[in-house]
Amino acid sequence: MSDIRVLIVEDEALIAKDIQFILEDADYSVSAIAYNSKKALEELRNRTPDIVLLDIQLNSELSGIQLAKIINEQYQLPFIFITSYADRATIEKVKSTNPMGYLVKPFEERTLITTIEIALYNHAQLWADQRPNLSFKLINQKLSNPLTDREFATLQQLLQGKTNKQIASDLYVSTNTVKTHLSNLFLKFDVSSRSMLFTRVNQLLRAS
């Protein structure tokens, strides 16, 4: 799967499904919808997404804020809070979890997509700050199956937090070509998601 995978954690089924339709129409892949914290934790363990949309007020064992702390500690994934509340007390509670975005329901489709794009970009920049310079020669020394020039170019774009459409536009190729390059990258780095690829690249470069 080379699309950006989004986990939706939302206990209102109609809202969750509406978000799913918006995302899929924008070429994102919804890895799962979790209606409670137990399902959310299961999905994080078994099908780690690239980004999480997280309702603050979940009618379940753990709140969205508690889940956010687990995501930070165990998965280092970007997440965006979605909520019906914009009061000062709620905002103060979520600040310490360092969300990559905060959306108040109801929100417009474009606002949702833009917030996700910005969140992915900002998260990629955090990784970039920790990563040594990415070198085509160095990265290929670490892989048993070397990257092609185009795969490396795609990797560079990906590590900037760009979507498939943005990569396609920058490299002047089709989105299907981008998906092919991404699938090859996942195979060569032995990962199954973008978030795992970020981690793997950083591990290889730190070991150099």
Side-chain angles (χ1 to χ4, degrees), residues 81-134:
F81 279 126
I82 51 177
T83 180
S84 299
Y85 303 90
D87 58 281
R88 176 53 54 186
T90 301
I91 292 173
E92 289 300 322
K93 285 181 182 178
V94 306
K95 277 183 180 178
S96 63
T97 64
N98 296 314
M100 286 289 170
Y102 190 97
L103 287 170
V104 179
K105 297 180 282 190
F107 41 77
E108 296 181 354
E109 294 182 13
R110 187 64 249 170
T111 302
L112 172 61
I113 299 305
T114 301
T115 301
I116 291 175
E117 289 184 5
I118 292 173
L120 290 168
Y121 175 81
N122 287 338
H123 183 66
Q125 298 317 298
L126 291 177
W127 277 108
D129 290 342
Q130 305 172 33
R131 184 173 57 240
N133 290 331
L134 188 65

Side-chain angles (χ1 to χ4, degrees), residues 23 32 72 102 112 204:
L23 294 177
N72 281 333
Y102 190 97
L112 172 61
L204 290 176

Side-chain angles (χ1 to χ4, degrees), residues 9 11 35-41 45 55-67 70:
V9 185
D11 58 8
Y35 297 110
N36 54 59
S37 58
K38 181 180 179 180
K39 177 65 173 176
L41 291 173
R45 283 193 304 268
D55 188 10
I56 293 177
Q57 302 292 338
L58 287 173
N59 185 23
S60 63
E61 183 178 350
L62 299 178
S63 69
I65 294 174
Q66 289 171 307
L67 279 174
I70 293 173

Side-chain angles (χ1 to χ4, degrees), residues 188-201:
K188 291 180 179 182
F189 282 94
D190 191 25
V191 298
S192 58
S193 71
R194 293 169 180 241
S195 57
M196 292 174 68
L197 181 60
F198 276 39
T199 302
R200 183 64 177 145
V201 169

Side-chain angles (χ1 to χ4, degrees), residues 46-82:
N46 299 329
R47 292 197 298 172
T48 307
D50 297 304
I51 190 167
V52 183
L53 297 181
L54 185 57
D55 188 10
I56 293 177
Q57 302 292 338
L58 287 173
N59 185 23
S60 63
E61 183 178 350
L62 299 178
S63 69
I65 294 174
Q66 289 171 307
L67 279 174
K69 291 177 180 178
I70 293 173
I71 291 171
N72 281 333
E73 292 169 2
Q74 298 183 23
Y75 300 97
Q76 295 82 52
L77 295 172
F79 60 89
I80 296 167
F81 279 126
I82 51 177

